[in-house]
């Protein structure tokens, strides 16, 4: 028996409208076999190609994503590093601030020593206001002086906390407070120093042993140095000093710092005081109503030594002021004007 024959081809009849003749198409066997196969093959290869392209694209995207992740990690790592550096800078800034604060407190202590030296000099008695200011200053600097040392232990803990990313803000706040305290102390010192310089200048001047100070409030010169007609006899006589008219009881000041070598009374000079200035100079103060110093006293320039009067050979209340250089009278005016 013969096997069923595979047809050699296929005849297709195309029927259209009735007037149009029937069209007959013959499709040979190879076409019948190969066309579907080719179609399947090309669709398969299209799918495979699409699949490959997608895989490729996905791999590309994955690579891109990985690259971006790496870049971001690098950025984050940079930021972490920057943050770590900033924190360490905050810690050292805080430490430095405390050091400055401590040193400033030391300077403030020195300034207080100067203040009490000037106050102890006896020349510049602080007013009650100044005294209260000084005690305020002392309190301030006492708290400022010790707080850095006391807080140093706390700071170490703060630095440790910073490693764990904590405490930065607290430390910054503390540093801010410290800086404010420093500013306050500097302001206080700036306000104090000019007055202290004035006091120091006055102290230096008070210690000066060259006669330069007009010895009484009045500036009324009633008789000058040199030859004149004597107020009692009318005869020509040498006047060894100057006479300054004033009121009995007016203060008489030491014209320079020195040692009181004489506090006496005689018929001609009345109550008189002699001060030796240690540079071959002496000043004499005559006709006083009273003396408020005694022999051997050390006096400062400007210190009250007695009261103006009318004692001895005098025609009215006045101060006879005399400057002696190497035991010879010289004109006082060049010294005290
Ligand atoms: Zn005189």
């Amino acid at each position: 028996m013969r096997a069923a024959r595979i047809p050699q081809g296929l005849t297709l009849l195309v029927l259209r409208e009735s007037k149009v003749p029937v069209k007959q198409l013959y499709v040979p066997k190879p076409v019948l076999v190969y066309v579907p196969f080719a179609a399947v093959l090309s669709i398969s290869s299209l799918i495979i190609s699409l699949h490959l392209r997608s895989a490729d694209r996905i791999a590309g995207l994955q690579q891109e994503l990985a690259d971006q992740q790496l870049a971001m990690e690098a950025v984050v790592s940079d930021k972490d590093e920057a943050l770590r550096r900033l924190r360490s800078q905050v810690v050292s800034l805080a430490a430095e601030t405390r050091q400055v604060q401590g040193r400033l407190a030391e300077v403030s202590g020195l300034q207080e020593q100067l203040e009490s030296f000037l106050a102890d000099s006896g020349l510049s008695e602080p007013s009650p206001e100044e005294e209260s200011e000084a005690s305020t200053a002392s309190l301030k600097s006492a708290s400022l002086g010790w707080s850095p040392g006391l807080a140093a232990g706390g700071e170490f803990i703060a630095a440790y906390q910073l490693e764990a990313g904590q405490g930065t803000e607290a430390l910054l706040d503390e540093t801010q407070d410290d800086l404010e305290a420093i500013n306050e102390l500097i302001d206080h010192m700036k306000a104090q120093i000019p007055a202290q310089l004035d006091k120091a200048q006055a102290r230096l001047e008070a210690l000066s042993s060259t006669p330069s100070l007009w010895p009484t409030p009045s500036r009324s010169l009633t008789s000058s140095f040199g030859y004149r007609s004597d107020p009692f006899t009318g005869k020509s006589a040498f006047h060894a000093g100057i006479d300054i008219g004033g009121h009995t009881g007016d203060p008489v000041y030491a014209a320079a710092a020195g040692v009181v070598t004489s506090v006496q009374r005689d018929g001609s000079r009345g109550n008189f005081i002699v001060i030796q200035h240690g540079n071959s100079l002496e000043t004499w103060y005559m006709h006083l109503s009273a003396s408020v110093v005694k022999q051997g006293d050390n006096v400062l320039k400007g210190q009250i030594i007695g009261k103006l009067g009318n004692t001895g050979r005098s025609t009215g209340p006045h101060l006879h002021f005399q400057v002696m250089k190497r035991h010879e009278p010289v004109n006082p005016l060049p010294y005290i004007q």
Side-chain angles (χ1 to χ4, degrees), residues 118-151:
L118 292 171
D120 290 348
S121 73
L123 185 88
S124 53
E125 290 294 323
S127 67
E129 201 177 295
E130 278 176 323
E131 270 182 322
S132 98
E133 259 183 50
S135 62
T136 313
S138 147
L139 278 174
K140 267 184 190 170
S141 85
S143 62
L144 284 170
W146 286 108
S147 60
L150 287 174

Side-chain angles (χ1 to χ4, degrees), residues 300-317:
L300 294 169
K301 183 182 287 189
Q303 186 174 333
I304 294 174
I305 54 169
K307 291 175 181 173
L308 189 141
N310 189 27
T311 57
R313 199 166 176 269
S314 169
T315 57

Side-chain angles (χ1 to χ4, degrees), residues 239-268:
H239 188 219
I242 56 170
D243 291 340
I244 306 162
H247 299 100
T248 299
D250 280 355
V252 172
Y253 311 115
V259 182
V260 176
T261 53
S262 191
V263 180
Q264 292 180 58
R265 179 188 179 98
D266 74 21
S268 176

